[in-house]
């Protein structure tokens, strides 16, 4: 199973490089073709709508995404969405309709692909008796490495080639990735065929069944929602201090370098980490780094250093949460849990960016950073307390089951018609 896992990791790496390069080129094409600044964010904004609602409309689809061929079909849908803008540019018809259509189509595909790829990685690792947590951490590393060099590469290619050719390159990259995905089998080892529909599982039902997974996902969702304070807040603080672009560049560079450094170690150490405390506690570290940023502004070096601390923490939390999901769930439940993680974390980030500008304009960038940091710390503390209560409840249930089993065992050799000495198999704890 190592080969398909390597293929999935390589696909993640290449497609994320293409996505980050396209993020540089797409706003330029929209601005050049429409002449309207507001149009530059239409694709990104519209792509967030399917992500926020995938738990509803994707319920019958995610149970079928259990093979490379099924994922390749979704990637072809993504190719169609990516091609809308460059095709419209060829005929001079780039406008709000084509930009919104591209965002919706690529958003639908992306909302399905992310959770399905992580679930397939975990399924293949389980089938090959390989550590799923480690392979998921490698996949996250491939994602984070692209943050370092893909945006500068995109900026250089825009100058060398122009923006429109880069959009075609992303389309070709995803098309090639879809072809490579055809070679990834089902986790059961059968030839890759069309995904077979499994039982329909509701996301909320999975979270109720696995409260520890729910705690980890909810905390990550709070972290995603608070991300706007970092990305928008530093940009605004830079302008306020007469350093437009400098502080956000320093913050993003420091965060990216720290997260990549941590991601290099995470695959090697993730199996030694306590799952839920790590998945919850690292968001408190990120929150503390947010709260500390106003104290070091306008120092570029200080912003980069504090941001790097937050970047060092985040990959451990994500790796531990992915490991927790892969170990506590399987099959349709696993795909539903990864979908919930994507909706709450990535969808929360999109929602935060949508309203974050207004919040910063009302409260101020510095106070918003401190408040967002405090919210993450509080969420982590509440999450750890909830995890402790869940663990204590499970231990009490286990002790009660052991007591019932021992009572039944001790009375099995005594004949009595009394209800107090009569045991049935229903009294025994499940094995």
């Amino acid at each position: 199973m190592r080969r398909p896992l390597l293929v999935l990791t390589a696909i993640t790496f290449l497609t994320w490089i293409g996505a980050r390069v396209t993020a540089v080129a797409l706003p330029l094409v929209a601005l050049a073709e429409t002449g309207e600044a507001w149009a530059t964010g239409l694709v990104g904004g519209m792509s967030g709508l399917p992500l926020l609602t995938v738990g509803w409309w994707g319920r019958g689809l995610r149970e079928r995404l259990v093979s490379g061929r099924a994922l390749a079909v979704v990637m072809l849908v993504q190719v169609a969405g990516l091609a809308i803008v460059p095709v419209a540019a060829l005929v001079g018809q780039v406008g709000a309709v084509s930009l919104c259509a591209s965002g919706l189509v690529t958003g639908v595909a992306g909302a399905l692909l992310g959770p399905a790829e992580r679930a397939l990685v975990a399924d293949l690792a389980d089938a090959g008796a390989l550590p799923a947590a480690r392979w998921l951490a490698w996949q996250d590393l491939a994602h984070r490495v692209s943050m370092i060099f893909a945006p500068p590469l995109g900026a250089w290619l825009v100058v060398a080639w122009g923006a429109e050719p880069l959009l075609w390159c992303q389309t070709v990259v995803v098309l090639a990735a879809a072809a490579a995905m055809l070679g990834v089998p089902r986790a059961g080892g059968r030839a890759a065929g069309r995904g077979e529909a499994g039982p329909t599982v509701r996301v909320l039902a999975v979270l109720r069944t696995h409260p520890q997974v729910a705690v980890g996902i909810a905390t990550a969702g709070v972290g995603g929602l608070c991300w706007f304070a970092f990305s928008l807040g530093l940009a605004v603080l830079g302008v306020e201090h007469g350093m437009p672009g400098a502080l956000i560049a320093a913050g993003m560079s420091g965060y990216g370098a720290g997260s990549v450094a941590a991601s290099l170690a995470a695959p090697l150490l993730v199996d030694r980490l306590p799952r839920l405390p790590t998945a919850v506690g690292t968001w408190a570290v990120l929150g503390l780094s947010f709260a500390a940023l106003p104290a070091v502004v306008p120092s570029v070096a200080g912003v980069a250093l504090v941001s790097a601390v937050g970047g060092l923490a985040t990959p451990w939390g994500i790796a531990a949460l992915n490991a927790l999901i892969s170990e506590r769930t399987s099959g349709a439940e696993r795909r539903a849990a990864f979908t919930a993680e994507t909706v709450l974390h990535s969808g929360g980030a999109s929602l935060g960016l949508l309203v974050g500008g207004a919040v910063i304009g009302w409260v101020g960038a510095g106070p918003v950073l401190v408040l967002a940091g405090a919210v993450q710390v509080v969420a982590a503390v509440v999450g750890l307390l909830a995890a402790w209560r869940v663990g204590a409840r499970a231990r009490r249930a286990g002790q009660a089951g052991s007591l019932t089993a021992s009572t039944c065992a001790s009375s099995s050799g005594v004949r009595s018609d009394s209800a107090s000495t009569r045991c049935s198999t229903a009294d025994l704890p499940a094995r």
Side-chain angles (χ1 to χ4, degrees):
M1 286 297 176
R2 290 182 181 274
R3 182 179 178 184
L5 287 168
L6 288 171
V7 169
L8 281 169
T9 304
I11 287 173
T12 299
F13 183 56
L14 292 175
T15 53
W16 270 104
I17 291 175
R20 296 188 188 282
V21 168
T22 300
V24 175
L26 189 57
L28 299 177
V29 172
L31 183 61
E33 295 291 331
T34 66
E36 301 288 346
W38 62 268
T40 59
L42 277 179
V43 172
M46 296 304 292
S47 66
L49 295 179
L51 177 62
L52 291 171
T53 57
V54 67
W56 166 63
W57 61 261
R59 188 186 309 154
L61 294 173
R62 60 175 176 260
E63 280 77 22
R64 306 187 70 89
L65 302 180
V66 296
S67 70
R69 181 163 295 182
L71 291 182
V73 172
V74 180
M75 296 183 85
L76 290 177
V77 175
Q78 188 176 37
V79 168
L82 290 169
I84 290 175
V85 175
V87 167
L90 283 178
V91 297
Q93 296 296 321
V94 174
V97 173
S98 59
L99 293 170
C100 289
S102 178
L104 285 173
V105 176
T106 56
V108 165
L112 292 172
L113 276 174
E117 285 179 346
R118 292 197 297 276
L120 186 56
V121 166
D123 291 346
L124 290 170
D126 287 349
L130 299 171
R134 189 172 301 173
W135 281 100
L136 287 166
W138 283 120
Q139 190 182 50
D140 185 59
L141 171 62
H143 168 199
R144 292 181 182 278
V145 167
S146 68
M147 291 191 302
I148 298 297
F149 69 90
L153 175 64
W156 179 77
L157 289 176
V158 163
V159 175
W161 291 355
E164 288 182 25
L166 288 188
L167 301 184
W168 285 114
C169 285
Q170 168 66 346
T171 304
V172 172
V173 165
V174 177
L175 187 62
M181 190 71 80
L182 293 173
V184 178
R186 292 172 58 95
R190 298 193 297 272
R194 189 181 67 171
E196 297 174 5
T200 300
V201 175
R202 293 179 179 271
V203 170
L204 291 178
V206 173
L207 297 181
R208 284 194 295 266
T209 304
H210 303 281
Q212 290 194 348
V213 171
V215 169
I217 290 176
T219 310
V222 173
L225 186 64
C226 292
W227 176 253
F228 79 91
F230 179 74
S231 58
L232 298 182
L234 285 180
V236 173
L237 284 174
V239 173
E240 291 176 352
H241 287 82
M243 306 168 63
L247 295 184
I248 184 60
M252 287 295 184
S253 298
Y255 179 88
S259 67
V260 170
S263 296
L264 289 170
L268 306 177
L269 301 176
V270 64
D271 290 328
R272 303 180 184 180
L273 299 176
R275 297 293 186 244
L276 192 56
T278 304
V280 172
T282 52
W283 294 107
V285 178
L286 183 63
L288 290 173
S289 72
F290 279 19
L293 282 171
V296 298
V297 170
S299 170
V300 172
V303 168
L305 181 61
V306 173
S307 300
V309 172
L312 283 168
T314 305
W316 299 105
I318 293 175
L321 178 57
N322 287 337
L324 183 66
I325 293 173
S326 67
E327 292 166 358
R328 295 299 179 95
T329 62
S330 62
E333 282 194 339
R334 176 177 287 170
R335 289 184 287 278
F338 277 123
T339 297
E341 179 191 15
T342 300
V343 170
L344 288 182
H345 183 63
S346 300
S350 297
L351 183 61
L353 289 171
L354 183 64
V355 302
V359 174
I360 289 174
W362 178 45
V363 179
V368 164
L369 274 166
V370 174
L371 180 61
V375 167
Q376 290 181 87
V377 172
V378 170
V381 172
V382 172
L384 289 173
L385 290 175
W388 178 81
R389 292 184 62 184
V390 168
R393 193 180 303 120
R395 287 191 295 271
R396 287 195 299 269
Q399 292 171 356
S402 299
L403 180 61
T404 302
S406 63
T407 302
C408 290
S410 63
S411 63
S412 60
V414 180
R415 292 188 61 185
S416 173
D417 292 331
S418 171
S420 62
T421 58
R422 200 177 295 129
C423 292
S424 68
T425 56
D427 296 320
L428 298 175
R431 299 292 182 185

